[in-house]
Amino acid sequence: MGRFIRFLPIFLLPGWFAHCDCDDASRITCAVDTDCPDDMYCQDGFCAPISDQDGGEDGDGGTRPDYDLDGGGLPLCDSQDDCIGDEVCFNGRCVEVIPNPDCLEGDGDDCENDAYCEPSLDGCIPWEVHPFPPPECEYIPPPGQFTPIEEWVWENPVEAPEWDEVMMTPVVVDLTGQMGGDPFVIPAVVFNTFRKDLEYEQDGVLRAVEGHTGNPIFSVTDPRYYTHPVSGIAAGDIDGDGRVELVTGKNGGRDLICFEDDGTFKWATDTNSLSVGWGCPAIANIDGQGDPEIVMGAAVINSDGSVRWRHSGPRGDNYTAGPAPFSVPADVDNDGFMEIVTGSKLYAHDGSEIWSTSYGDGFVAVADISGHADQLPEIVVVNHGNVRVQSSTNGEPLWVRTSQYLIDNIPECDPDCGRLGPPTVADFNGDGRPEIGVAGVDVYIVFSGAGDILWHVPAQDSSSNVTGSAVFDFEGDGRAEVVYADEVSLKVFRGSDGTVLYQQPHSSLTACEYPVIADVDSDHNAEIVIAQNTLIDSAPQKFKGIRVFGDAKDNWVDTRAIWNQHAYHVTNVNENGTIPQNAAQNWKVVGLNNFRQNIQGEGLFDAPDLTALGLGFDPGKCRTEGIRIRAAIFNRGRQEVAPGVPVSFYRGDPRVGSVLLGTEHTTIRLKPSEHEVVSFLWANPPIDKLFDIYVVADDQGWNSVNNQPSGQNNECREQNNIGFIKDVICKSEN
């Protein structure tokens, strides 16, 4: 290839393929070059002769380039006269063009060895000379290919193994305090568990597991710190230390208990009057100063566990068999402070009453349903089988759909729709306006913002009939899908008409739980997290613990790596778990006029673009130790990729038939423009025979049907993943 491959990295390569023939006992150990004599440099912990750094053939027949990753080794040029031979002056560098008569831009780019197609030159040239800004790199999921697959399941804990049932809404949160920084961070899934023989009303064990594997992080098994198993969890940094705390119901369900991010006990209230029960606290900075507060029904608790104020009135509850408060903190009157929203009362941040109605308490959601120019939100209330939207100014209803109205208009509501669960607000059908989703005893219903019934589908939840749902636009097409788990199945409905896109057996006796959607493994794809238990007798198949589903074809778009509480909306928490001091009103933020819906990440369709660059080989003592082959794996796209990208090494070109030698994996997060060097040991190479070794990024074994890599990442360009090393040989004298 002549001088074409001079864009390889000199700062990675010096000494990689040099070899010392001296006896091992005489080798000089080193950490840096200055540890070695003047005529040597540091290579792999030992000093090697500088004479081996001359590029091309080394002392043992290996190949080693002599240039920079960033293109610094390519000669500078102002005009064609500055270049030699067949080189072309392009973008200030002399490059050798590899002719490619079928050179195509975009996803048709099939250039090799980390090169790209430059149509003006009718061929491939080194990526490093690509003009700025870099090209767009997007992957748009094909519509209708909804293919969920189970990614992992948590069900048989080693610690406290009897506590393996779950009947509450899990949360997804960073427990390291580093989300958004340079370290690669994977969030945790946190949940309360219970023993089947004790059922769900006592002695809960709080657990946290890794978001990418389900492996345990901690379990709080000390009986002094048992939780109320069916209570929800609110996660957030309540004391300003940069790490989240976890607040949930204390054993017995009458108080709160708080833990540090490692499961260490922090504090507990001792009022015997907060009536947490099946409900969930919410964390917010309600007064815009100091530490955040914890809202629990009609009470506010300070970050140290002391009670700031408490009322005995309405608390955002729609359950009759026990307490299940889900009040919502939100600034609904534009005064700069958060009010505490329940179904029939509105409390100021200081505990004073702003308004009260006689229409009955209930589960609530806050969003701009009417779209009026005043940008004040409305309050959606679900109250004992009735659904209404009311003014946040005075609590007066804008419309009401009574239980009788639902019975008269929905066949599944026979004899009635049940109590109905916490409402979800989203743009279900892509019309730019919010709709409302509610689950009942045998039905899931979606209303327009004006109260019209848009669609309804059968469900099964005769046990509690107060389960919730979550929504997410998995395909990025502007229409949210509905994710709902009842007693016997997990379903995903198309938001526009309720068509079942996916159905999976599931089991739960049900409380107020619902599935959550978050990027639980930091792979820039959304996942579904559901809780399950074996208490429901009518389930054909029974499950317990936690299950996580992703898309088998890597088609679900990016989302946040957090879902921190039952009353989740995007602006109430930062992705690292810190709580905004003055949170944005979600209904005023473009794309966030919703409730219990996660948002796509920035650059909705941004994708990675993985390429491979063959660096060379080190024969070493190849007859006994094999040949070490090295390649650089680059990300030339606009979205980072998680560690674990498969990199396959082939004897010959896999496109025309070859032998797979083996597969290695990257070990670090690859941000855009970053790379990692991956090496493979060919343990038993033939002697005195030349081979071309091909390296394919994001490949777990060549897909001969489609004649392309069988990778795990959808990329903007799938044809440019191949690199190669020519004339690899193990000589008989080595």
PDB file of all heavy atoms in Angstrom, residues 12 26 54 114 123 128 171 183 195 294 353 372 386 392 430-431 434 467 473 502 561 612 618 634 639 700 703 725 731:
ATOM      1  N   LEU A  12       0.879   5.126  19.535  1.00  0.00           N
ATOM      2  CA  LEU A  12       0.505   3.820  20.052  1.00  0.00           C
ATOM      3  C   LEU A  12       1.511   2.746  19.655  1.00  0.00           C
ATOM      4  O   LEU A  12       1.680   1.764  20.352  1.00  0.00           O
ATOM      5  CB  LEU A  12      -0.864   3.414  19.500  1.00  0.00           C
ATOM      6  CG  LEU A  12      -2.068   4.150  20.082  1.00  0.00           C
ATOM      7  CD1 LEU A  12      -3.300   3.780  19.291  1.00  0.00           C
ATOM      8  CD2 LEU A  12      -2.249   3.788  21.535  1.00  0.00           C
ATOM      9  N   SER A  26      18.493 -11.325  30.781  1.00  0.00           N
ATOM     10  CA  SER A  26      19.287 -10.115  30.587  1.00  0.00           C
ATOM     11  C   SER A  26      18.452  -8.916  30.185  1.00  0.00           C
ATOM     12  O   SER A  26      18.984  -7.824  30.008  1.00  0.00           O
ATOM     13  CB  SER A  26      20.359 -10.370  29.517  1.00  0.00           C
ATOM     14  OG  SER A  26      19.731 -10.598  28.254  1.00  0.00           O
ATOM     15  N   ASP A  54      12.327   1.508  12.964  1.00  0.00           N
ATOM     16  CA  ASP A  54      12.491   2.165  11.671  1.00  0.00           C
ATOM     17  C   ASP A  54      11.324   1.927  10.735  1.00  0.00           C
ATOM     18  O   ASP A  54      11.382   2.286   9.579  1.00  0.00           O
ATOM     19  CB  ASP A  54      13.789   1.685  11.007  1.00  0.00           C
ATOM     20  CG  ASP A  54      13.818   0.171  10.837  1.00  0.00           C
ATOM     21  OD1 ASP A  54      12.829  -0.498  11.245  1.00  0.00           O
ATOM     22  OD2 ASP A  54      14.807  -0.342  10.315  1.00  0.00           O
ATOM     23  N   ASP A 114      -9.983   1.961   7.876  1.00  0.00           N
ATOM     24  CA  ASP A 114     -10.294   3.280   8.432  1.00  0.00           C
ATOM     25  C   ASP A 114     -10.112   4.389   7.407  1.00  0.00           C
ATOM     26  O   ASP A 114      -9.670   5.488   7.729  1.00  0.00           O
ATOM     27  CB  ASP A 114      -9.430   3.559   9.667  1.00  0.00           C
ATOM     28  CG  ASP A 114      -9.946   4.743  10.461  1.00  0.00           C
ATOM     29  OD1 ASP A 114     -11.184   4.847  10.620  1.00  0.00           O
ATOM     30  OD2 ASP A 114      -9.133   5.559  10.920  1.00  0.00           O
ATOM     31  N   GLY A 123     -12.135   7.555  -5.038  1.00  0.00           N
ATOM     32  CA  GLY A 123     -11.519   6.477  -4.282  1.00  0.00           C
ATOM     33  C   GLY A 123     -11.515   6.732  -2.790  1.00  0.00           C
ATOM     34  O   GLY A 123     -12.172   7.654  -2.282  1.00  0.00           O
ATOM     35  N   GLU A 128      -8.376  10.605   8.502  1.00  0.00           N
ATOM     36  CA  GLU A 128      -7.856  11.786   9.198  1.00  0.00           C
ATOM     37  C   GLU A 128      -7.850  13.048   8.357  1.00  0.00           C
ATOM     38  O   GLU A 128      -7.745  14.151   8.901  1.00  0.00           O
ATOM     39  CB  GLU A 128      -6.433  11.508   9.695  1.00  0.00           C
ATOM     40  CG  GLU A 128      -6.373  10.646  10.937  1.00  0.00           C
ATOM     41  CD  GLU A 128      -6.659   9.192  10.627  1.00  0.00           C
ATOM     42  OE1 GLU A 128      -6.675   8.815   9.439  1.00  0.00           O
ATOM     43  OE2 GLU A 128      -6.895   8.447  11.574  1.00  0.00           O
ATOM     44  N   VAL A 171     -36.805   1.537  40.259  1.00  0.00           N
ATOM     45  CA  VAL A 171     -36.212   2.774  39.775  1.00  0.00           C
ATOM     46  C   VAL A 171     -34.867   2.448  39.137  1.00  0.00           C
ATOM     47  O   VAL A 171     -34.228   1.444  39.476  1.00  0.00           O
ATOM     48  CB  VAL A 171     -36.040   3.834  40.888  1.00  0.00           C
ATOM     49  CG1 VAL A 171     -37.384   4.244  41.448  1.00  0.00           C
ATOM     50  CG2 VAL A 171     -35.109   3.353  41.989  1.00  0.00           C
ATOM     51  N   PRO A 183     -15.827   8.714  33.098  1.00  0.00           N
ATOM     52  CA  PRO A 183     -15.883   7.265  33.330  1.00  0.00           C
ATOM     53  C   PRO A 183     -17.131   6.668  32.697  1.00  0.00           C
ATOM     54  O   PRO A 183     -18.178   7.290  32.638  1.00  0.00           O
ATOM     55  CB  PRO A 183     -15.928   7.153  34.866  1.00  0.00           C
ATOM     56  CG  PRO A 183     -15.428   8.461  35.374  1.00  0.00           C
ATOM     57  CD  PRO A 183     -15.835   9.478  34.355  1.00  0.00           C
ATOM     58  N   ARG A 195     -40.817 -11.828  50.897  1.00  0.00           N
ATOM     59  CA  ARG A 195     -40.954 -13.278  50.957  1.00  0.00           C
ATOM     60  C   ARG A 195     -42.386 -13.670  50.629  1.00  0.00           C
ATOM     61  O   ARG A 195     -43.338 -13.081  51.146  1.00  0.00           O
ATOM     62  CB  ARG A 195     -40.607 -13.797  52.354  1.00  0.00           C
ATOM     63  CG  ARG A 195     -39.163 -13.750  52.698  1.00  0.00           C
ATOM     64  CD  ARG A 195     -38.909 -14.179  54.129  1.00  0.00           C
ATOM     65  NE  ARG A 195     -39.565 -15.451  54.473  1.00  0.00           N
ATOM     66  CZ  ARG A 195     -39.208 -16.205  55.495  1.00  0.00           C
ATOM     67  NH1 ARG A 195     -38.212 -15.808  56.282  1.00  0.00           N
ATOM     68  NH2 ARG A 195     -39.837 -17.331  55.751  1.00  0.00           N
ATOM     69  N   ILE A 294     -38.551  15.841  50.528  1.00  0.00           N
ATOM     70  CA  ILE A 294     -39.268  14.625  50.162  1.00  0.00           C
ATOM     71  C   ILE A 294     -40.751  14.881  50.398  1.00  0.00           C
ATOM     72  O   ILE A 294     -41.164  15.254  51.507  1.00  0.00           O
ATOM     73  CB  ILE A 294     -38.798  13.408  50.972  1.00  0.00           C
ATOM     74  CG1 ILE A 294     -37.307  13.144  50.742  1.00  0.00           C
ATOM     75  CG2 ILE A 294     -39.605  12.171  50.600  1.00  0.00           C
ATOM     76  CD1 ILE A 294     -36.398  13.714  51.784  1.00  0.00           C
ATOM     77  N   GLU A 353     -52.990  25.978  52.508  1.00  0.00           N
ATOM     78  CA  GLU A 353     -53.914  25.474  51.497  1.00  0.00           C
ATOM     79  C   GLU A 353     -54.214  26.566  50.476  1.00  0.00           C
ATOM     80  O   GLU A 353     -54.584  27.681  50.832  1.00  0.00           O
ATOM     81  CB  GLU A 353     -55.196  24.999  52.161  1.00  0.00           C
ATOM     82  CG  GLU A 353     -56.211  24.403  51.200  1.00  0.00           C
ATOM     83  CD  GLU A 353     -57.481  23.979  51.903  1.00  0.00           C
ATOM     84  OE1 GLU A 353     -57.411  23.079  52.770  1.00  0.00           O
ATOM     85  OE2 GLU A 353     -58.547  24.573  51.602  1.00  0.00           O
ATOM     86  N   HIS A 372     -53.711  26.210  26.350  1.00  0.00           N
ATOM     87  CA  HIS A 372     -54.023  27.630  26.423  1.00  0.00           C
ATOM     88  C   HIS A 372     -52.753  28.474  26.465  1.00  0.00           C
ATOM     89  O   HIS A 372     -51.702  28.026  26.919  1.00  0.00           O
ATOM     90  CB  HIS A 372     -54.886  27.927  27.655  1.00  0.00           C
ATOM     91  CG  HIS A 372     -56.261  27.341  27.566  1.00  0.00           C
ATOM     92  ND1 HIS A 372     -57.073  27.140  28.670  1.00  0.00           N
ATOM     93  CD2 HIS A 372     -56.977  26.903  26.503  1.00  0.00           C
ATOM     94  CE1 HIS A 372     -58.213  26.603  28.284  1.00  0.00           C
ATOM     95  NE2 HIS A 372     -58.180  26.457  26.982  1.00  0.00           N
ATOM     96  N   ASN A 386     -63.607   7.332  37.961  1.00  0.00           N
ATOM     97  CA  ASN A 386     -63.861   8.543  37.194  1.00  0.00           C
ATOM     98  C   ASN A 386     -62.539   9.145  36.731  1.00  0.00           C
ATOM     99  O   ASN A 386     -61.516   9.031  37.416  1.00  0.00           O
ATOM    100  CB  ASN A 386     -64.596   9.578  38.051  1.00  0.00           C
ATOM    101  CG  ASN A 386     -65.857   9.013  38.671  1.00  0.00           C
ATOM    102  OD1 ASN A 386     -66.802   8.668  37.977  1.00  0.00           O
ATOM    103  ND2 ASN A 386     -65.862   8.908  40.006  1.00  0.00           N
ATOM    104  N   SER A 392     -55.650  24.031  37.314  1.00  0.00           N
ATOM    105  CA  SER A 392     -54.691  24.140  38.416  1.00  0.00           C
ATOM    106  C   SER A 392     -54.871  25.453  39.170  1.00  0.00           C
ATOM    107  O   SER A 392     -54.315  25.621  40.259  1.00  0.00           O
ATOM    108  CB  SER A 392     -53.261  24.052  37.873  1.00  0.00           C
ATOM    109  OG  SER A 392     -52.990  25.106  36.955  1.00  0.00           O
ATOM    110  N   GLY A 430     -49.079  11.189  17.756  1.00  0.00           N
ATOM    111  CA  GLY A 430     -48.248  12.021  16.892  1.00  0.00           C
ATOM    112  C   GLY A 430     -48.923  13.260  16.369  1.00  0.00           C
ATOM    113  O   GLY A 430     -48.449  13.850  15.392  1.00  0.00           O
ATOM    114  N   ASP A 431     -50.019  13.703  17.018  1.00  0.00           N
ATOM    115  CA  ASP A 431     -50.715  14.894  16.542  1.00  0.00           C
ATOM    116  C   ASP A 431     -50.200  16.178  17.194  1.00  0.00           C
ATOM    117  O   ASP A 431     -50.746  17.260  16.956  1.00  0.00           O
ATOM    118  CB  ASP A 431     -52.223  14.757  16.760  1.00  0.00           C
ATOM    119  CG  ASP A 431     -52.609  14.701  18.246  1.00  0.00           C
ATOM    120  OD1 ASP A 431     -51.700  14.656  19.107  1.00  0.00           O
ATOM    121  OD2 ASP A 431     -53.824  14.687  18.539  1.00  0.00           O
ATOM    122  N   PRO A 434     -51.174  16.379  23.800  1.00  0.00           N
ATOM    123  CA  PRO A 434     -51.100  15.287  24.780  1.00  0.00           C
ATOM    124  C   PRO A 434     -52.414  14.532  24.896  1.00  0.00           C
ATOM    125  O   PRO A 434     -53.500  15.108  24.804  1.00  0.00           O
ATOM    126  CB  PRO A 434     -50.759  16.012  26.080  1.00  0.00           C
ATOM    127  CG  PRO A 434     -51.320  17.391  25.910  1.00  0.00           C
ATOM    128  CD  PRO A 434     -51.170  17.712  24.446  1.00  0.00           C
ATOM    129  N   THR A 467     -53.079  -0.316  38.696  1.00  0.00           N
ATOM    130  CA  THR A 467     -51.739  -0.303  38.106  1.00  0.00           C
ATOM    131  C   THR A 467     -51.579   0.894  37.175  1.00  0.00           C
ATOM    132  O   THR A 467     -52.549   1.442  36.647  1.00  0.00           O
ATOM    133  CB  THR A 467     -51.483  -1.596  37.314  1.00  0.00           C
ATOM    134  OG1 THR A 467     -52.617  -1.862  36.484  1.00  0.00           O
ATOM    135  CG2 THR A 467     -51.246  -2.763  38.238  1.00  0.00           C
ATOM    136  N   ASP A 473     -41.433   6.654  22.999  1.00  0.00           N
ATOM    137  CA  ASP A 473     -41.397   6.620  21.538  1.00  0.00           C
ATOM    138  C   ASP A 473     -40.177   5.799  21.119  1.00  0.00           C
ATOM    139  O   ASP A 473     -39.103   6.327  20.872  1.00  0.00           O
ATOM    140  CB  ASP A 473     -41.332   8.052  20.991  1.00  0.00           C
ATOM    141  CG  ASP A 473     -41.318   8.101  19.483  1.00  0.00           C
ATOM    142  OD1 ASP A 473     -41.464   7.039  18.843  1.00  0.00           O
ATOM    143  OD2 ASP A 473     -41.134   9.211  18.935  1.00  0.00           O
ATOM    144  N   TYR A 502     -46.491  -6.104  20.942  1.00  0.00           N
ATOM    145  CA  TYR A 502     -45.707  -7.149  21.617  1.00  0.00           C
ATOM    146  C   TYR A 502     -46.480  -7.609  22.835  1.00  0.00           C
ATOM    147  O   TYR A 502     -47.121  -6.813  23.522  1.00  0.00           O
ATOM    148  CB  TYR A 502     -44.345  -6.600  22.038  1.00  0.00           C
ATOM    149  CG  TYR A 502     -43.499  -7.568  22.829  1.00  0.00           C
ATOM    150  CD1 TYR A 502     -42.919  -8.678  22.215  1.00  0.00           C
ATOM    151  CD2 TYR A 502     -43.269  -7.371  24.187  1.00  0.00           C
ATOM    152  CE1 TYR A 502     -42.133  -9.574  22.937  1.00  0.00           C
ATOM    153  CE2 TYR A 502     -42.479  -8.255  24.916  1.00  0.00           C
ATOM    154  CZ  TYR A 502     -41.917  -9.348  24.288  1.00  0.00           C
ATOM    155  OH  TYR A 502     -41.147 -10.219  24.996  1.00  0.00           O
ATOM    156  N   ALA A 561     -30.667   7.451  31.235  1.00  0.00           N
ATOM    157  CA  ALA A 561     -30.305   6.303  32.071  1.00  0.00           C
ATOM    158  C   ALA A 561     -30.856   6.493  33.481  1.00  0.00           C
ATOM    159  O   ALA A 561     -30.194   6.147  34.463  1.00  0.00           O
ATOM    160  CB  ALA A 561     -28.794   6.122  32.098  1.00  0.00           C
ATOM    161  N   ALA A 612     -12.140  -0.549  11.416  1.00  0.00           N
ATOM    162  CA  ALA A 612     -10.966  -1.286  11.876  1.00  0.00           C
ATOM    163  C   ALA A 612      -9.764  -0.893  11.035  1.00  0.00           C
ATOM    164  O   ALA A 612      -9.879  -0.690   9.828  1.00  0.00           O
ATOM    165  CB  ALA A 612     -11.200  -2.791  11.785  1.00  0.00           C
ATOM    166  N   ASP A 618       3.267  -9.171  15.438  1.00  0.00           N
ATOM    167  CA  ASP A 618       4.516  -9.433  16.130  1.00  0.00           C
ATOM    168  C   ASP A 618       4.696 -10.940  16.181  1.00  0.00           C
ATOM    169  O   ASP A 618       3.994 -11.621  16.937  1.00  0.00           O
ATOM    170  CB  ASP A 618       4.455  -8.840  17.542  1.00  0.00           C
ATOM    171  CG  ASP A 618       5.726  -9.113  18.339  1.00  0.00           C
ATOM    172  OD1 ASP A 618       6.656  -9.706  17.770  1.00  0.00           O
ATOM    173  OD2 ASP A 618       5.774  -8.737  19.522  1.00  0.00           O
ATOM    174  N   PHE A 634     -11.828   2.168  15.683  1.00  0.00           N
ATOM    175  CA  PHE A 634     -12.219   3.566  15.784  1.00  0.00           C
ATOM    176  C   PHE A 634     -13.731   3.714  15.799  1.00  0.00           C
ATOM    177  O   PHE A 634     -14.446   2.895  15.219  1.00  0.00           O
ATOM    178  CB  PHE A 634     -11.687   4.370  14.591  1.00  0.00           C
ATOM    179  CG  PHE A 634     -10.206   4.568  14.574  1.00  0.00           C
ATOM    180  CD1 PHE A 634      -9.384   3.602  14.026  1.00  0.00           C
ATOM    181  CD2 PHE A 634      -9.634   5.716  15.094  1.00  0.00           C
ATOM    182  CE1 PHE A 634      -8.011   3.776  13.990  1.00  0.00           C
ATOM    183  CE2 PHE A 634      -8.273   5.901  15.069  1.00  0.00           C
ATOM    184  CZ  PHE A 634      -7.456   4.923  14.518  1.00  0.00           C
ATOM    185  N   GLN A 639     -22.168   8.902  18.017  1.00  0.00           N
ATOM    186  CA  GLN A 639     -22.661   8.381  19.289  1.00  0.00           C
ATOM    187  C   GLN A 639     -21.643   7.396  19.829  1.00  0.00           C
ATOM    188  O   GLN A 639     -21.090   6.572  19.093  1.00  0.00           O
ATOM    189  CB  GLN A 639     -24.008   7.686  19.110  1.00  0.00           C
ATOM    190  CG  GLN A 639     -24.634   7.220  20.422  1.00  0.00           C
ATOM    191  CD  GLN A 639     -25.884   6.407  20.199  1.00  0.00           C
ATOM    192  OE1 GLN A 639     -25.834   5.209  19.932  1.00  0.00           O
ATOM    193  NE2 GLN A 639     -27.029   7.070  20.263  1.00  0.00           N
ATOM    194  N   GLN A 700     -19.469 -10.632  15.252  1.00  0.00           N
ATOM    195  CA  GLN A 700     -19.423 -11.829  16.081  1.00  0.00           C
ATOM    196  C   GLN A 700     -19.360 -13.093  15.230  1.00  0.00           C
ATOM    197  O   GLN A 700     -19.669 -14.174  15.701  1.00  0.00           O
ATOM    198  CB  GLN A 700     -20.658 -11.867  16.991  1.00  0.00           C
ATOM    199  CG  GLN A 700     -20.767 -10.646  17.885  1.00  0.00           C
ATOM    200  CD  GLN A 700     -22.044 -10.641  18.710  1.00  0.00           C
ATOM    201  OE1 GLN A 700     -22.044 -11.072  19.850  1.00  0.00           O
ATOM    202  NE2 GLN A 700     -23.126 -10.157  18.121  1.00  0.00           N
ATOM    203  N   ASN A 703     -21.795 -12.674   8.695  1.00  0.00           N
ATOM    204  CA  ASN A 703     -23.129 -13.062   8.242  1.00  0.00           C
ATOM    205  C   ASN A 703     -23.051 -13.352   6.746  1.00  0.00           C
ATOM    206  O   ASN A 703     -23.091 -12.436   5.922  1.00  0.00           O
ATOM    207  CB  ASN A 703     -24.125 -11.943   8.537  1.00  0.00           C
ATOM    208  CG  ASN A 703     -25.561 -12.330   8.215  1.00  0.00           C
ATOM    209  OD1 ASN A 703     -25.810 -13.158   7.336  1.00  0.00           O
ATOM    210  ND2 ASN A 703     -26.498 -11.711   8.909  1.00  0.00           N
ATOM    211  N   ILE A 725      -4.213  -6.769   7.583  1.00  0.00           N
ATOM    212  CA  ILE A 725      -2.751  -6.760   7.671  1.00  0.00           C
ATOM    213  C   ILE A 725      -2.250  -7.722   6.606  1.00  0.00           C
ATOM    214  O   ILE A 725      -2.616  -8.900   6.599  1.00  0.00           O
ATOM    215  CB  ILE A 725      -2.246  -7.200   9.062  1.00  0.00           C
ATOM    216  CG1 ILE A 725      -2.819  -6.300  10.162  1.00  0.00           C
ATOM    217  CG2 ILE A 725      -0.728  -7.178   9.110  1.00  0.00           C
ATOM    218  CD1 ILE A 725      -3.956  -6.933  10.911  1.00  0.00           C
ATOM    219  N   LYS A 731       7.944 -17.244  10.402  1.00  0.00           N
ATOM    220  CA  LYS A 731       9.116 -17.816   9.743  1.00  0.00           C
ATOM    221  C   LYS A 731       9.689 -18.970  10.564  1.00  0.00           C
ATOM    222  O   LYS A 731       9.623 -18.974  11.788  1.00  0.00           O
ATOM    223  CB  LYS A 731      10.165 -16.738   9.539  1.00  0.00           C
ATOM    224  CG  LYS A 731       9.722 -15.647   8.575  1.00  0.00           C
ATOM    225  CD  LYS A 731      10.812 -14.611   8.366  1.00  0.00           C
ATOM    226  CE  LYS A 731      10.356 -13.533   7.375  1.00  0.00           C
ATOM    227  NZ  LYS A 731      11.406 -12.506   7.167  1.00  0.00           N
TER     228      LYS A 731
END
